[in-house]
Amino acid sequence: MTDLETNIGKLNAHLERFRAEGIRNLIGGASVPAASGATFETHSPVDESLICKVARSSAEDVNTAAEAAKVAFPAWRDMPAAERKKILHRIADLIVERAEEIALCECWDTGQALRFMSKAALRGAENFRFFADRAPSARDGQNLPSPTLMNVTTRVPIGPVGVITPWNTPFMLSTWKIAPALAAGCTVVHKPAEFSPLTARILAVIAHEAGLPDGVWNLVNGFGEDAGKRLTEHPDIKAIAFVGESRTGSMIMKQGADTLKRVHFELGGKNPVVVFDDADLDRALDAVIFMIYSLNGERCTSSSRLLIQDTVADAFLKKLTERVNNIRVGHPLDPATEIGPLIHKEHFDKVTSYFEAARADGATIAAGGQRVGDKGWFVRPTLFTGATNDMTIAREEIFGPVLTAIRFRDEKQALTLANDTQYGLTGYVWTNDLTRALRFTDALEAGMIWVNSENVRHLPTPFGGVKASGIGRDGGDWSFEFYMEQKHIGFAT
Ligand code: NAD
């Protein structure tokens, strides 16, 4: 039996439960269908087959979940932090125990290749451990005495919060937003993406089995325009942590205006990787490939614009084209696969529409630019060359394995091109000139920049974007800043 056949066998065993029961909500500790009984179907992007039916929640279900989160909040807030810490570590333990199941289901649901997803569950467990260990100090404050007062500051959890997540790496992203909320003492209503509901359900069940009190974590499945919208409008939900597209972020801001919702947005990107001619070009080439062609390019931090210095562009692009042509597209559960199918037809149509846009704008399709097979949403990894920064392929977030290469003359022009975008999530700079690296990164408009490195996450560092890429930061203490309120108490002396 091949590794692929073995993995498919294991996957089918895990899917049996979903096929029999469908995916239900988890509200107040109970697995329940949508109040209306409505469901929607989730299909695999690999072969478009039905995976299972999913509860299609309405405002009524969100109201019930928000009420459960409200009722559970005081006891969870007041639970000794050391106990909260233990429960969160137990969640991490159970994630590790079920890491293989999570990875297989995530691949089948999203089309992500197993070679990358096998680590996603473990990263999710790490997120829980990281914030679990910080729970005991989350409320720490300061003493800021004045001549007449002892001024004490403390932090308190903001209340029940809504977490809305996208379909790309849905498991890891859910843990990244929910773990700090729970560590801070907030209760949660989670609305996962409608296109990838499997692992969000596994995660919520794990939390329940780990001993999280009923109502602390509620899962409500459904579509953005009804369940998601109601969550952002609900008066008992004090804040919304959202990961998704920039235009959805704008909608959520409007929807939350009447209830003065606090928002935290991790949004889109069109991130530049800038390669100067003095860089270690072999390492830069590896990083350029990894940062756009891993995770199907469906990654907010992907470097989707390559800015390459004229002097080395021909040789660099020649090697890049050869490497892109050798990337293996295939079944996501085959360990040899590097790129699986895109998440769904609508997204496939969007990504492939840029092949025509590139031709219309006069760019060259140096690699890829075609569909693979006639079933599932597979595309060849694609490289556009001869592009300029005013072209659609250089301006819009394509969110697929598609790279747009643009040449530059000198540092000044590189900086102008890098910043000439509505987005500002990440930037990657390759140069061995330290002074230039300092000057360039200081002027580059991005929330996160790596020099001579691909994106390497370090949980204590701030994660987030500027411009249309987001509002707020995650990671370290920044997550607690969002999920907690500062409180000042002045004692007369
Ligand atoms: P999306 O905005 O379409 O959907 C994200 C979530 O929002 C889904 O759960 C959806 O149901 C919900 N939603 C949609 N409309 C809503 C509304 N009116 N009110 C409330 N909720 C609503 O995004 P997507 O296509 O699922 O994800 C891809 C996008 O996410 C890309 O733009 C990507 O760059 C971005 N992303 C950003 C980061 C980051 O850290 N900056 C990380 C991952 C993904």
Side-chain angles (χ1 to χ4, degrees):
M1 210 187 254
T2 63
D3 288 344
L4 172 60
E5 286 162 349
T6 307
N7 288 337
I8 291 175
K10 288 180 184 169
L11 170 77
N12 279 325
H14 293 306
L15 289 181
E16 262 172 36
R17 196 179 57 251
F18 290 120
R19 287 181 180 133
E21 297 169 8
I23 293 182
R24 294 178 156 212
N25 293 335
L26 191 76
I27 300 180
S31 278
V32 289
S36 66
T39 57
F40 64 94
E41 293 184 346
T42 184
H43 294 259
S44 174
V46 179
D47 58 5
E48 302 158 59
S49 64
L50 174 68
I51 301 178
C52 66
K53 293 193 172 177
V54 187
R56 181 173 179 169
S57 308
S58 63
E60 190 183 350
D61 303 290
V62 174
N63 292 348
T64 315
E67 178 62 21
K70 186 180 175 186
V71 169
F73 175 63
W76 181 245
R77 175 195 60 201
D78 297 339
M79 178 186 278
E83 277 180 48
R84 274 210 303 276
K85 174 178 166 177
K86 261 191 221 155
I87 296 174
L88 299 187
H89 271 293
R90 176 92 188 112
I91 294 175
D93 294 341
L94 294 181
I95 291 173
V96 173
E97 274 177 30
R98 292 174 69 172
E100 186 182 64
E101 172 192 357
I102 292 164
L104 293 170
C105 289
E106 187 98 317
C107 292
W108 190 242
D109 212 11
T110 65
Q112 293 289 347
L114 187 61
R115 65 163 56 202
F116 300 115
M117 282 309 101
S118 57
K119 296 172 204 121
L122 301 179
R123 279 189 64 188
E126 278 309 308
N127 289 340
F128 268 94
R129 295 203 196 288
F130 178 82
F131 288 109
D133 288 340
R134 276 157 184 76
S137 56
R139 294 201 57 180
D140 286 359
Q142 298 179 62
N143 181 10
L144 303 165
S146 66
T148 55
L149 290 169
M150 284 298 259
N151 292 298
V152 174
T153 70
T154 182
R155 270 196 311 205
V156 291
I158 192 168
V161 297
V163 173
I164 301 177
T165 47
W167 48 257
N168 69 308
T169 56
F171 184 83
M172 200 287 292
L173 282 174
S174 301
T175 63
W176 178 234
K177 307 305 280 190
I178 295 173
L182 298 179
C186 296
T187 53
V188 171
V189 178
H190 179 205
K191 209 295 283 169
E194 51 271 44
F195 295 113
S196 56
L198 291 190
T199 55
R201 169 71 196 184
I202 296 173
L203 183 58
V205 169
I206 282 177
H208 184 67
E209 288 170 4
L212 200 69
D214 292 348
V216 171
W217 179 333
N218 304 279
L219 171 72
V220 179
N221 287 283
F223 292 93
E225 56 268 28
D226 36 43
K229 181 165 182 286
R230 176 59 186 156
L231 189 56
T232 62
E233 292 169 344
H234 200 289
D236 291 332
I237 296 294
K238 299 301 172 198
I240 292 287
F242 168 73
V243 187
E245 286 191 31
S246 302
R247 65 164 185 268
T248 315
S250 296
M251 279 196 275
I252 289 177
M253 210 170 218
K254 288 185 198 125
Q255 291 161 195
D258 283 348
T259 50
L260 297 173
K261 207 71 85 207
R262 181 185 288 189
V263 292
H264 188 302
F265 290 162
E266 289 184 7
L267 310 173
K270 191 74 183 176
N271 310 302
V273 50
V274 186
V275 180
F276 287 98
D277 59 8
D278 65 352
D280 179 335
L281 295 173
D282 289 337
R283 286 196 55 218
L285 183 63
D286 287 343
V288 165
I289 290 167
F290 178 74
M291 282 312 304
I292 185 67
Y293 300 114
S294 60
L295 302 180
N296 296 349
E298 295 167 325
R299 173 184 204 165
C300 57
T301 52
S302 71
S303 52
S304 49
R305 276 189 305 151
L306 165 63
L307 306 183
I308 176 81
Q309 194 153 18
D310 264 342
T311 36
V312 290
D314 286 342
F316 193 88
L317 291 174
K318 185 166 178 285
K319 284 189 193 164
L320 178 59
T321 307
E322 281 164 20
R323 293 272 298 268
V324 177
N325 280 326
N326 285 329
I327 291 174
R328 290 185 66 147
V329 179
H331 195 295
L333 297 184
D334 182 342
T337 292
E338 292 167 290
I339 293 197
L342 299 174
I343 179 81
H344 54 70
K345 180 175 186 312
E346 206 182 304
H347 190 56
F348 170 88
D349 288 344
K350 175 187 155 177
V351 171
T352 53
S353 76
Y354 289 99
F355 303 160
E356 193 40 50
R359 285 188 199 100
D361 279 350
T364 302
I365 301 182
Q370 316 109 24
R371 181 176 190 171
V372 177
D374 54 7
K375 206 165 202 197
W377 309 118
F378 295 87
V379 292
R380 280 290 324 154
T382 297
L383 172 65
F384 298 137
T385 56
T388 52
N389 208 48
D390 56 347
M391 292 181 181
T392 310
I393 51 173
R395 306 208 74 75
E396 296 182 3
E397 184 187 44
I398 299 174
F399 217 56
V402 181
L403 176 62
T404 301
I406 300 164
R407 295 169 184 243
F408 67 86
R409 275 186 317 278
D410 52 23
E411 183 184 325
K412 187 162 173 271
Q413 192 192 15
L415 184 64
T416 305
L417 292 172
N419 285 341
D420 179 20
T421 169
Q422 61 165 320
Y423 296 109
L425 188 60
T426 62
Y428 305 87
V429 182
W430 289 84
T431 176
N432 277 324
D433 178 338
L434 177 62
T435 314
R436 170 155 65 196
L438 287 169
R439 195 170 50 227
F440 199 88
T441 51
D442 190 46
L444 188 57
E445 295 164 359
M448 298 170 281
I449 302 170
W450 282 267
V451 178
N452 296 334
S453 172
E454 64 268 19
N455 164 354
V456 180
R457 278 296 290 136
H458 180 52
L459 299 182
T461 58
F463 185 100
V466 300
K467 296 161 64 177
S469 289
I471 297 176
R473 293 293 178 273
D474 280 314
D477 200 57
W478 287 278
S479 299
F480 288 155
E481 282 291 313
F482 176 68
Y483 287 122
M484 302 183 87
E485 294 277 22
Q486 287 286 346
K487 193 185 242 184
H488 161 250
I489 309 155
F491 296 90
T493 50

